[in-house]
Amino acid sequence: MRVTSPPAAGRTLRGRPLAAAALLAAAGAELAYLPLGRPTLLALQGPGATSSLMIAGGLLCVSVVLLYRPRRARVCGVAGMLLGLLSCPLANFGGFLVGMLLAVLGGALAFAWRHPAPAGGAP
């Protein structure tokens, strides 16, 4: 059995849609920031806060799936764009439009991303 060293971080992230995942995670964090600013008032904030947290959790899950399963980039891109568009009417105008724009841009980058061809020349 041959023992090899673990891959460096640069080689681990190479070939993955890192920019799209970062934008989707930033959108999720931005959408969750306002309702979680005062968690004691979460029950008083109403359904807007609840839907904002659910959409933020979905965006964070999509970004993690995008990093660990890059072949599912098209599905994650569509899910990220839909969650971003849903955040506009459901979650405080999409986090005052910043979270919605980040989610739509990250989803578009994920949808456009292609898995790199193998180096061996096989199709």
Side-chain angles (χ1 to χ4, degrees), residues 13-112:
L13 293 177
R14 188 172 296 148
R16 296 178 187 275
L18 186 60
L23 284 173
L24 287 169
E30 198 275 331
L31 283 171
Y33 176 74
L34 189 63
L36 291 178
R38 298 191 101 182
T40 56
L41 299 176
L42 192 59
L44 299 175
Q45 292 178 9
T50 306
S51 63
S52 180
L53 290 176
M54 291 174 64
I55 290 171
L59 285 170
L60 290 173
C61 288
V62 164
S63 67
V64 169
V65 169
L66 193 56
L67 281 179
Y68 284 102
R69 301 282 186 223
R71 298 233 185 224
R72 302 277 184 232
R74 298 191 106 195
V75 174
C76 290
V78 170
M81 283 191 283
L82 285 176
L83 285 170
L85 291 174
L86 275 176
S87 73
C88 188
L90 296 178
N92 303 324
F93 290 113
F96 302 115
L97 295 179
V98 175
M100 183 187 77
L101 292 176
L102 286 173
V104 169
L105 184 61
L109 284 175
F111 187 77

